[in-house]
């Protein structure tokens, strides 16, 4: 399947200027910051800008990424900024066996890297780690972004289908990723890759 991004590609991209590494959180997460409650999981946290934004707001934050390099960078940033956040090397496709529970999950650019099978596995894992009533905040490439390099383009319907069981849809709206302008290997739409920003709420009674 085209545009599924594998571990080797991420490893290669972290050796240079990764296009998503912009040194600050993506704007849609800042815009909904008041909806985010602790504890917070940032799945596929990369070098931690979104996680550290929420840590700076006083949240208890755990960031996971399957590569050591971005996790090391995230830990260094946390130290340099005097912030407390827990960054661990962990595969987001292995959430099912995890006994941690979170009230909020951040996914900034992870869902769109997965194959159809991995999507199902990931969403099943999320259903386990997201507490009933908790919210998933997700940003992914949209099918409005022309085909080309980068991750899979995702349609609104694909998002609805992926989270049809066990989740309510609070929001799916068009958005734009901000990308690192020093990363010249990618050509995206002027104004940044077209994206969806979505909020899904885990069904079930809070506290159960
Ligand atoms: C597009 S980057 C976004 C990074 C970060 N969320 C950000 O916004 O800067 C996707 C990240 O997901 C990580 N990733 C990809 N597959 C993963 C998996 N199965 N488990 C955990 N992390 C994964 C990559 O290493 C990469 O850091």
């Amino acid at each position: 399947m085209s545009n599924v991004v594998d571990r080797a590609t991420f490893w290669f991209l972290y050796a240079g200027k990764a296009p998503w590494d912009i040194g600050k959180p993506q704007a849609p997460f800042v815009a909904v910051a008041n909806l985010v409650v602790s504890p917070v999981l940032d799945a596929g946290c990369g070098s931690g800008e979104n996680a550290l934004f929420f840590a700076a707001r006083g949240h208890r934050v755990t960031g996971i990424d399957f590569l050591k390099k971005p996790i090391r960078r995230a830990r260094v940033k946390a130290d340099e900024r005097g912030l407390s956040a827990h960054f661990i090397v962990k595969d987001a496709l292995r959430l099912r066996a995890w006994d941690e529970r979170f009230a909020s999950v951040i996914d900034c650019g992870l869902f769109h890297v997965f194959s159809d099978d991995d999507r199902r596995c990931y969403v099943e894992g999320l259903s386990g780690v997201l507490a009933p009533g908790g919210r998933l905040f997700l940003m992914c490439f949209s099918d409005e972004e022309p085909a080309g390099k980068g991750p899979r383009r995702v349609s609104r319907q694909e998002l609805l289908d992926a989270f049809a069981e066990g989740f309510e849809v609070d929001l799916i709206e068009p958005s734009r990723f901000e990308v690192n302008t020093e990363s010249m290997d990618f050509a995206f739409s002027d104004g940044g890759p077209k994206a969806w920003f979505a909020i899904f709420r885990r069904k079930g009674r809070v506290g159960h």
Side-chain angles (χ1 to χ4, degrees):
M1 182 183 297
S2 64
N3 293 76
V4 171
V5 194
D6 63 10
R7 185 184 287 257
T9 305
F10 279 114
W11 192 92
F12 173 78
L13 288 169
Y14 276 118
K17 297 278 182 197
W20 56 85
D21 233 346
I22 57 169
K24 61 180 179 179
Q26 291 286 344
F29 295 95
V30 176
V32 299
N34 287 341
L35 295 177
V36 172
V37 291
S38 294
V40 180
L41 171 66
D42 186 352
C45 63
S47 70
E49 289 298 338
N50 296 299
L52 290 169
F53 168 72
F54 288 108
R57 290 176 63 92
H59 287 296
R60 275 177 291 135
V61 182
T62 300
I64 63 168
D65 201 284
F66 69 174
L67 292 183
K68 285 183 191 155
K69 184 176 262 185
I71 288 294
R72 276 199 297 263
R73 283 189 195 161
R75 287 176 182 157
V76 169
K77 284 186 195 174
D79 281 351
E80 287 172 352
R81 298 177 196 180
L83 293 170
S84 166
H86 190 44
F87 289 108
I88 50 180
V89 177
K90 187 170 179 65
D91 192 334
L93 296 177
R94 295 177 190 273
L95 297 179
R96 249 180 310 180
W98 211 15
D99 53 7
E100 295 283 344
R101 292 293 171 272
F102 298 91
S104 309
V105 177
I106 305 301
D107 174 330
C108 181
L110 178 61
F111 177 83
H112 65 196
V113 312
F114 292 137
S115 66
D116 287 354
D117 282 349
D118 285 350
R119 265 184 199 174
R120 278 188 284 273
C121 171
Y122 173 58
V123 173
E124 211 179 303
L126 283 178
S127 304
V129 297
L130 190 55
R135 290 189 177 99
L136 165 68
F137 302 85
L138 184 152
M139 192 171 178
C140 64
F141 266 48
S142 102
D143 53 351
E144 294 287 318
E145 178 62 20
K149 280 188 177 180
R152 289 179 72 180
R153 279 50 169 171
V154 179
S155 69
R156 179 189 286 269
Q157 190 59 49
E158 284 178 279
L159 282 173
L160 291 170
D161 291 345
F163 293 96
E165 271 184 40
F167 293 86
E168 313 259 12
V169 183
D170 280 357
L171 175 80
I172 302 181
E173 68 177 14
S175 184
R176 295 281 191 145
F177 274 104
E178 189 172 334
V179 287
N180 182 344
T181 49
E182 290 173 59
S183 172
M184 301 305 282
D185 291 345
F186 293 80
F188 296 126
S189 298
D190 287 345
K194 294 179 181 169
W196 296 116
F197 183 71
I199 305 177
F200 298 101
R201 199 154 21 89
R202 181 85 177 89
K203 282 182 184 166
R205 277 174 48 217
V206 179
H208 288 262

